[in-house]
Amino acid sequence: MSDQVIVEKLKEKFSSEVLNIVEFRGETTVTVKKEQIVDICTFMRDDFGYNLLCDLCGVDYLGKAPRFMVVYNLYNITTKQRIRIKAPVEEQDANIDTVSTVWGTANWHERECWDLLGIKFNNHPDLRRILMPADWEGHPLRKDYPLQGPDREPYKGRLS
Amino acid sequence: MGVEQPKTLGSGFVTTSLDKLVNWSRASSMWPLTFGLACCAIEMMATGAARFDLDRMGILFRASPRQADVIIIAGTVTKKMVPVIKTVYEQMPEPRYVIAMGACASSGGIFDTYSTVQGVDEFLPVDVYIPGCPPRPEGLLYGLMKLQDKIRAERNTFGAAIGVGDVVHNKA
């Protein structure tokens, strides 16, 4: 099944959810609303065989609204097909439902995303920090986080 | 070592100062703890291997802090690693020495960021800093020899160990 057919079927089933579809150099990216992300991911896994979540990450588009984007890179091991799903998340009370019930590997990916970007994953079984120390304050991969830490003067070029 | 054979006692006797004997034994068997954190560890391994051969200087890497005299901090120290290093250092028996190997351990190096410690001297008493990114094995060897010089220049080392006075650090 080609990417176009998969995207068409996804659009058919979740017509009100799909925001944008982009194809660039053979890579298909579907942007969807965050509300039904679990249903969409379950659909992608069960009906199109995307049985591997390669990566789940967050992007900080500081200055834009919505500020964050959660990106799901899916892979179908049988047909060797890839697809990317993106879901925008607002800055205020940033949260999205967990997909760790769909792919177990999402558990740690979502913990990393929470740790570094501060996007909360609802219903996550164990949403703790994974990279930073447990008592760390703030989310250092956010674009407005000071590079050298909050307790130091902000970076002003190489002479600072 | 300054070993002398005094004529009055005849042959079969040697005399030396306790400081010199203790310092000689400590400087001749500095056992470092394997504590590689980044690419410096590769150079540290190379220094220990056949080509540079640390064993010839009595430097044998130990895998347990309880058997180690020196901790070579070889690499980038993250803030998350600090409690681990502190624990390991406190487990080492005294006298214990610290070598900061490479730019990262000495000053944070290129990693001037929120997650990196800007030099291990923020929480450990460093004896020798070795510059380089990473330092070549010759650099590490030179640093270890500098530490040996420093140990040899110490006075009242034995007295301090049995609770009489403190160690006097003379300039090497």
Side-chain angles (χ1 to χ4, degrees):
Chain A
M1 211 185 303
S2 75
D3 283 359
Q4 282 90 347
V5 178
I6 291 168
V7 168
E8 281 310 311
K9 288 200 172 170
L10 182 69
K11 223 166 136 185
E12 218 170 87
K13 180 143 189 197
F14 296 95
S15 54
S16 62
E17 297 296 309
V18 176
L19 297 171
N20 187 22
I21 297 161
V22 177
E23 205 204 317
F24 180 69
R25 294 191 175 170
E27 294 180 8
T28 310
T29 306
V30 185
T31 312
V32 299
K33 288 185 196 164
K34 71 170 188 181
E35 278 74 21
Q36 289 194 50
I37 189 72
V38 179
D39 292 338
I40 291 166
C41 287
T42 312
F43 181 65
M44 295 302 279
R45 183 195 63 183
D46 294 342
D47 289 45
F48 304 120
Y50 286 105
N51 44 9
L52 177 67
L53 177 72
C54 286
D55 191 18
L56 185 157
C57 55
V59 187
D60 183 1
Y61 295 102
L62 182 66
K64 284 188 187 172
R67 179 171 167 184
F68 299 109
M69 196 79 95
V70 177
V71 186
Y72 306 81
N73 288 294
L74 312 185
Y75 185 61
N76 182 333
I77 295 172
T78 318
T79 62
K80 300 186 172 110
Q81 274 181 303
R82 288 177 195 278
I83 201 161
R84 186 181 299 115
I85 293 179
K86 300 205 283 186
V89 175
E90 308 80 28
E91 182 175 3
Q92 201 67 34
D93 189 27
N95 70 85
I96 187 168
D97 289 344
T98 179
V99 295
S100 58
T101 47
V102 185
W103 300 283
T105 189
N107 187 323
W108 282 20
H109 283 126
E110 288 177 346
R111 278 177 64 185
E112 185 189 359
C113 192
W114 153 251
D115 189 0
L116 298 178
L117 282 165
I119 298 168
K120 205 172 151 239
F121 289 86
N122 306 324
N123 309 322
H124 190 282
D126 183 26
L127 198 62
R128 285 179 296 134
R129 289 189 182 273
I130 190 167
L131 293 173
M132 302 308 293
D135 57 351
W136 194 267
E137 281 174 24
H139 303 283
L141 227 54
R142 285 190 172 192
K143 295 288 180 197
D144 52 2
Y145 191 91
L147 174 66
Q148 291 159 314
D151 51 342
R152 282 178 63 187
E153 283 282 306
Y155 183 70
K156 294 190 202 79
R158 60 191 287 248
L159 295 175
S160 72
Chain B
M1 193 165 101
V3 177
E4 290 156 26
Q5 282 201 329
K7 287 196 177 91
T8 47
L9 291 170
S11 62
F13 290 90
V14 291
T15 62
T16 181
S17 76
L18 201 52
D19 273 347
K20 281 182 179 168
L21 182 69
V22 171
N23 290 347
W24 166 76
S25 70
R26 283 183 183 163
S28 308
S29 65
M30 297 193 307
W31 287 3
L33 176 66
T34 51
F35 207 81
L37 293 168
C39 35
C40 279
I42 306 297
E43 297 298 304
M44 187 170 72
M45 287 179 241
T47 320
R51 189 182 177 98
F52 296 93
D53 195 13
L54 278 180
D55 289 17
R56 71 200 154 95
M57 298 164 74
I59 297 170
L60 313 175
F61 280 104
R62 305 306 299 176
S64 163
R66 310 219 184 255
Q67 301 169 349
D69 307 300
V70 188
I71 183 168
I72 302 175
I73 311 285
T76 319
V77 182
T78 57
K79 285 181 182 165
K80 201 175 180 179
M81 201 69 194
V82 169
V84 180
I85 295 179
K86 270 188 186 163
T87 308
V88 167
Y89 177 75
E90 281 159 11
Q91 285 175 341
M92 288 166 63
E94 287 179 343
R96 52 199 172 188
Y97 303 93
V98 179
I99 293 179
M101 181 183 179
C104 293
S106 303
S107 69
I110 58 168
F111 301 105
D112 190 5
T113 63
Y114 60 90
S115 58
T116 311
V117 176
Q118 300 300 301
V120 281
D121 50 7
E122 285 184 10
F123 59 96
L124 284 189
V126 178
D127 293 286
V128 176
Y129 298 86
I130 305 171
C133 187
R136 281 190 54 86
E138 290 94 327
L140 179 58
L141 279 168
Y142 186 70
L144 287 162
M145 287 191 288
K146 277 284 166 202
L147 182 59
Q148 285 183 330
D149 291 346
K150 187 175 176 174
I151 293 171
R152 286 195 197 100
E154 285 175 357
R155 292 294 172 261
N156 194 31
T157 42
F158 189 79
I162 59 168
V164 182
D166 294 315
V167 177
V168 180
H169 295 280
N170 291 333
K171 211 176 169 197

